[in-house]
Each structure stands twice: as structure tokens, then as C-alpha cells.
Amino acid sequence: MRSLALISLLALPGCFYPADRGRALEAKVDRLGADTAQIQTELKEAREQLAAALPIIDEKVAEVTKALKGLDTAARRKDADIGVQFQKTVEDLAQLRGQVETYLHKISELETALAAQDQKLIAMQGEAALKEAEAKKKAEELKRPADKKEFLALAKEKAKAGDVILARQLYNEFMKKWAKDPLVGDAHFGLGETYFSESKCREALFEYGKVLQDYPKADSAPESYLRSSDCFAQLKMKEESRLALEELIKSYPKSPEAKTAKDRIAELDKPKTPPAKKGKK
């Protein structure tokens, strides 16, 4: 029962944003999201209109080209007839050009508005969102290995180099791409480590909890207990910190982490030596 209670505690979401501010932010984000969706719809429609018009424009251009060639061999015609046909050709071309420019201008405006909406959303969410956006861009440009172990190693490498946001992008991508693979447990652990490195213990505990609850046979499971103990200690949750160590010893008794856990418990159980009293002068 204590083990289940601990895992349940580990699996709790790490969201501790003040309720009122959180609701206000969500409302603003929802409004921006609705505006963005409208712009995306209009942009899609404009592109579809342009795509539908292009075959017609190509056909008209072909007709105009044919008409222009016909003018070269129209020596039999009167000059007035040639002038009328030439004027009609020029007007057709101008109309087609105007139609294309209208569509292209509208698409350009909508793309600019969409980019502005994205910047507003990022600004509203703060510096963290800006870093997330930068990491997403870097992740898009980064070449990914096809092999899953190499992919996971790349995420670890980025985390070790201090590029934790990019590492999170890669870990999350790994979990989507290989959702049913046992290595997903190690990906959750790696994700937890990126949060732990920034002292975001609540977020880290959630990821360690996913390892222990869903992937108890993962290589990182024993260390997930050890890291959970560290997180609970930082959160001043002494009982839970000790419980994590006890569960580690019980669940993985032969692991190196279990030995570390025993040493820590022994240290906790040492009698506290009271500070020496200073003598009166």
C-alpha cells in the first residue's frame, strides 16, 4: 500500500500555477488560438482559390499567346481589326495579372498576420515559451538518427550539453515515434533528468513516476527511485524521501542504486550529535 501511495504521488501532474492567473492566461490563449485558427482558415481558402485559378490562368495565357502569334500572320487583315484584337489581348493579360497579384497579396498578408499571432502567443506565455519556440526551431533543423538507440543517445547528449529544452523536444518526439518500445521508460527518465537539472522537482517527479508505474523493468527504474528521493528531500518531504529509498531496496535489492539507498538510510538513522554548548566567559 505504501508503494502504491508513493507511485500515485509521483504520478501527480506538476502544475502549481495560481488558479486565477492560470484561468486568465488560458482565456487569453484561447482567444489568440481562435484568432489564429480563423487566419489559418482564410489562408487555406486563399491558397485554394489561387490553386483553382492557376489552371484557368494557364489556359488564358495559352489563348493569348496563340492570339499574339496569329497577329504576326494577319497581313490580310485590316489594321483596325489587328488593333482591336491586340487591345483585347492586353486587357486580358492585365486582368489575369491583377487576379494573381490579388491572391498573392492576400496570402502574404495572412502569413504575416499568422506570424504576428504566433509571436503574441509566445510573448504572452513568457520567456519559457520563447525558449521552447527556439528549441522547436533547432529541433526542426536537427538531423535525426533512424536508429532508436542512437536517437535516444542524441537526446541524452543534448541534455548533457545543457541544451535541456531541445533535449525535451527530442525525448517527447522519441516517445511518440516509438510509443510501444520499452525504451520509452528511459526516455521518461531522461526527461525527468532535464527537469531535475533545473531543480523543477515536481515536473521531474512526474516523469520518474511514469518510469516506475509503466516501465518498472527499464534500466533507469532503480535510479528513478533514487532521484525521486532527492526530489522529495528538496521539497522538504522527508517521509516520502525515505520511503522512496526503502522501495528501491525492496524492489531492486541487487542494484547498485540499492546499495546507495542503504547508505543514505544508514546516514539518516545516525543519532544526531547535539551541538556543543559554548562555555560562559
Side-chain angles (χ1 to χ4, degrees):
M1 290 298 292
R2 295 178 71 199
S3 175
L4 289 174
L6 177 66
I7 291 176
S8 298
L9 182 60
L10 289 169
L12 287 174
C15 182
F16 291 83
Y17 203 84
D20 291 341
R21 291 180 61 193
R23 284 192 291 270
L25 178 60
E26 285 175 5
K28 290 180 181 178
V29 169
D30 286 344
R31 285 196 295 273
L32 272 177
D35 292 342
T36 299
Q38 179 63 30
I39 292 172
Q40 288 174 334
T41 300
E42 291 179 14
L43 182 58
K44 182 182 177 183
E45 289 175 354
R47 284 174 174 161
E48 287 174 351
Q49 287 171 349
L50 179 59
L54 285 175
I56 300 172
I57 291 171
D58 290 341
E59 184 181 343
K60 290 291 182 182
V61 168
E63 290 177 5
V64 169
T65 303
K66 184 178 179 181
L68 286 172
K69 287 180 180 178
L71 291 178
D72 294 335
T73 59
R76 297 187 306 272
R77 301 182 184 180
K78 296 179 181 179
D79 290 343
D81 292 339
I82 293 173
V84 170
Q85 186 172 353
F86 184 76
Q87 182 62 33
K88 180 68 168 58
T89 299
V90 170
E91 290 173 358
D92 286 346
L93 282 173
Q95 184 179 0
L96 292 172
R97 181 181 177 184
Q99 188 177 359
V100 171
E101 287 180 349
T102 299
Y103 285 133
L104 291 176
H105 180 68
K106 185 175 182 181
I107 288 172
S108 177
E109 283 187 331
L110 289 168
E111 287 176 339
T112 301
L114 193 59
Q117 287 291 100
D118 289 342
Q119 289 302 316
K120 284 181 183 178
L121 186 58
I122 290 170
M124 184 175 292
Q125 292 174 328
E127 185 180 353
L130 180 59
K131 289 181 178 179
E132 289 282 353
E134 290 173 352
K136 185 177 180 180
K137 185 177 179 181
K138 287 171 70 176
E140 288 171 354
E141 296 170 352
L142 186 66
K143 186 177 179 180
R144 291 152 174 72
D147 181 78
K148 59 187 178 183
K149 290 184 179 179
E150 291 179 6
F151 194 108
L152 197 58
L154 176 64
K156 291 179 181 178
E157 177 189 322
K158 294 300 178 183
K160 189 176 181 180
D163 205 345
V164 293
I165 299 179
L166 177 57
R168 285 173 198 152
Q169 295 269 355
L170 293 172
Y171 280 127
N172 282 311
E173 189 174 328
F174 180 94
M175 287 185 277
K176 289 179 182 177
K177 192 170 184 178
W178 289 285
K180 296 182 179 180
D181 195 282
L183 285 174
V184 170
D186 293 330
H188 275 293
F189 176 79
L191 195 54
E193 290 290 86
T194 66
Y195 289 120
F196 183 80
S197 69
E198 296 181 328
S199 298
K200 295 179 178 179
C201 283
R202 293 178 175 88
E203 291 88 345
L205 281 169
F206 178 78
E207 299 302 332
Y208 298 143
K210 290 291 290 182
V211 179
L212 298 173
Q213 186 173 20
D214 299 335
Y215 304 93
K217 293 183 180 179
D219 292 340
S220 55
E223 195 170 359
S224 292
Y225 269 124
L226 207 57
R227 283 297 203 206
S228 297
S229 176
D230 292 334
C231 283
F232 283 127
Q234 287 190 32
L235 294 170
K236 309 298 182 185
M237 301 171 70
K238 295 181 180 179
E239 184 178 345
E240 289 78 5
S241 178
R242 184 186 182 103
L243 178 56
L245 297 174
E246 292 173 351
E247 287 301 321
L248 166 55
I249 296 167
K250 178 182 175 182
S251 301
Y252 306 96
K254 296 182 180 180
S255 66
E257 290 82 4
K259 183 180 182 304
T260 302
K262 290 176 183 178
D263 292 341
R264 289 189 184 183
I265 289 176
E267 190 68 26
L268 291 172
D269 289 341
K270 279 184 180 180
K272 304 295 181 183
T273 304
K277 292 182 179 180
K278 294 182 180 181
K280 292 182 180 180
K281 290 184 180 180

